[in-house]
């Protein structure tokens, strides 16, 4: 079965850090563009990052650039999102996903995404 499972969310104070993990099974992460997106209550989905090992590129949204870092342990088929200097506006459910490719700084052609993990940042 092809799936991804996110973990690592929680409650943190403003200025704090969290690391999210995304474990993939049933496919090889390195063969796809992979990314994180988030959705806050009442707001539209927002792409956070997109990484393509095949293309050798990583994109970040302007709202997280300089604070969030994506990394991958491809031996473990796991993707990480290190988040620092978290702010209340970062509160959302965070999802990881695998995509067919990238286009102009975004991952495109969603293949699979997980159930998400909640990140809540208090002021």
């Amino acid at each position: 079965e092809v799936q991804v499972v996110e973990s690592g969310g929680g409650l943190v104070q403003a200025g704090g850090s969290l690391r999210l993990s995304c474990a993939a099974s049933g496919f090889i992460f390195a063969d796809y563009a992979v990314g994180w997106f988030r959705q806050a209550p009442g707001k539209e989905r927002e792409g956070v990052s997109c990484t393509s090992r095949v293309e050798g590129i990583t994109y970040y949204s302007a709202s997280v650039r300089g604070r969030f870092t994506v990394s991958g342990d491809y031996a473990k088929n796991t993707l990480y999102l290190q988040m620092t200097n978290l702010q209340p506006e970062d509160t959302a459910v965070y999802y990881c996903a695998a995509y067919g490719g990238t286009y102009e700084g975004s991952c495109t052609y969603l293949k699979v995404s997980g159930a998400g993990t909640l990140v809540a940042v208090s002021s």
Side-chain angles (χ1 to χ4, degrees), residues 52-90:
S52 173
R53 194 183 188 196
V54 173
E55 298 176 56
I57 55 176
T58 297
Y59 300 111
Y60 296 97
S61 68
S63 60
V64 307
R65 193 175 300 128
R67 301 187 297 122
F68 291 12
T69 304
V70 172
S71 63
D73 185 336
Y74 292 101
K76 295 182 178 180
N77 217 24
T78 300
L79 186 72
Y80 302 101
L81 181 67
Q82 179 68 49
M83 306 184 293
T84 63
N85 192 22
L86 284 161
Q87 300 300 314
E89 53 266 34
D90 294 316

Side-chain angles (χ1 to χ4, degrees), residues 10-65:
L11 176 63
V12 63
Q13 290 187 331
S17 300
L18 282 174
R19 189 178 80 156
L20 306 183
S21 299
C22 175
S25 58
F27 69 101
I28 299 173
F29 244 153
D31 292 343
Y32 293 83
V34 292
W36 293 89
F37 62 92
R38 65 188 182 184
Q39 188 158 24
K43 295 188 177 181
E44 293 187 356
R45 180 181 298 181
E46 176 190 9
V48 172
S49 72
C50 177
T51 299
S52 173
R53 194 183 188 196
V54 173
E55 298 176 56
I57 55 176
T58 297
Y59 300 111
Y60 296 97
S61 68
S63 60
V64 307
R65 193 175 300 128

Side-chain angles (χ1 to χ4, degrees), residues 97-108:
Y99 298 82
T102 70
Y103 180 71
E104 295 187 348
S106 298
C107 285
T108 59

